[in-house]
Amino acid sequence: MGLSGMKLCIGFRAPAFLAAMMFSTAPLAAEVSHQTDYSIALAGLPLARASFHTEVEKNRYTISGTLNSAGLVDIISRTTGQTRVSGVIDRDHLRASEYSMSYRSGRKGRAINVSFRNGNVVRASMVPKRNPLPKNWVPVTSRDMRNVLDPLSGLLIPARARVCPNTLPIFDGESRLDIRLSPKGTRNFKTRGFEGEVIVCGIRFVPKAGYRKGREDVEYLRRLGTMEIWYAKANGVDVYAPVYARIPTKIGAVTVSATRFGD
């Protein structure tokens, strides 16, 4: 998604990115499977639904997910997406070894695959490629792909680490960006499988590489200071995961809300 998730108003990318931020609430323990579901809306109108399944065995994990458009969006241009990530749970992060994402919206589609080793990107492919690249394209260098997280499992935060403030260095196969989280207090949240206090963080998207410099939607998100993400602690495990996210746009807020969390 270039910047994956930075294009927020229309199509698959923004809901897909937000869903990625919401997906993984499974207990980090041996031989565990877990299902989570999310509702994505624009100005209160249904936009998409997402489901993610997580399996953990010893210190290895696999997460697979699907996203399908809903409401009027589904009538105008049906959108579907799939994603998968696998890797190893270390002390501070879930370190991916393989990450993939593919989507199709109408006649357009794209597939991305990334291989990691010890937090560094060793191989990345995107089909179809952006060719030719725009003159104002900020290229991704080898330095940009060091010590990075995938956009799925990289967004889980161990309970022993601070939720916010925090900076998450994300590489999604095309774009490199930082997600900067800042503290905004606590709120109460209730959904299937969870009821209680959640940590509220402000979000800042900081594009680093793999995007068109000066592009309007990228600059809008770069300047936007009113985005939020809410983190809840998964029952029985020392992990915080998102249950709600909100990005204001000129035509209404894009929201992602967990309809099922840990049950």
Side-chain angles (χ1 to χ4, degrees), residues 2-190:
L3 289 164
S4 289
M6 302 300 280
K7 298 180 178 178
L8 66 119
C9 292
I10 57 176
F12 175 81
R13 292 187 170 191
F17 185 81
L18 288 174
M21 295 173 70
M22 307 285 291
F23 74 98
S24 180
T25 60
L28 302 184
E31 299 179 358
V32 172
S33 63
H34 182 82
Q35 188 77 22
T36 54
D37 302 318
Y38 300 91
S39 174
I40 304 160
L42 171 62
L45 300 176
L47 193 65
R49 299 184 183 92
S51 294
F52 295 88
H53 182 75
T54 304
E55 293 184 355
V56 180
E57 185 172 359
K58 297 182 180 178
N59 70 329
R60 299 200 62 85
Y61 69 91
T62 300
I63 302 159
S64 57
T66 60
L67 183 142
N68 293 280
S69 53
L72 288 176
V73 172
D74 194 50
I75 297 173
I76 296 170
S77 180
R78 179 166 174 75
T79 299
T80 61
Q82 299 82 36
T83 187
R84 189 178 188 275
V85 62
S86 59
V88 176
I89 303 164
D90 68 14
R91 189 173 62 87
D92 297 318
H93 299 287
L94 274 70
R95 289 290 187 185
S97 56
E98 298 290 336
Y99 161 76
S100 65
M101 185 277 291
S102 63
Y103 72 91
R104 178 161 293 279
S105 183
R107 297 182 179 180
K108 296 182 179 180
R110 179 153 285 157
I112 290 175
N113 291 275
V114 186
S115 298
F116 299 85
R117 184 180 299 123
N118 299 323
N120 301 319
V121 176
V122 295
R123 184 173 60 255
S125 66
M126 183 176 69
V127 179
K129 295 181 179 180
R130 292 187 186 275
N131 193 18
L133 291 175
K135 292 182 179 180
N136 58 344
W137 188 261
V138 181
V140 176
T141 67
S142 58
R143 184 174 182 178
D144 292 320
M145 296 187 288
R146 298 174 189 167
N147 194 28
V148 293
L149 303 172
D150 74 277
L152 298 182
S153 56
L155 292 165
L156 284 176
I157 301 175
R160 58 180 170 270
R162 60 187 181 186
V163 176
C164 50
N166 203 344
T167 297
L168 307 175
I170 303 298
F171 178 72
D172 67 6
E174 182 185 28
S175 304
R176 170 70 177 85
L177 65 149
D178 283 345
I179 297 176
R180 295 181 181 174
L181 305 178
S182 58
K184 295 189 68 174
T186 60
R187 295 284 294 271
N188 290 319
F189 184 83
K190 180 179 180 181

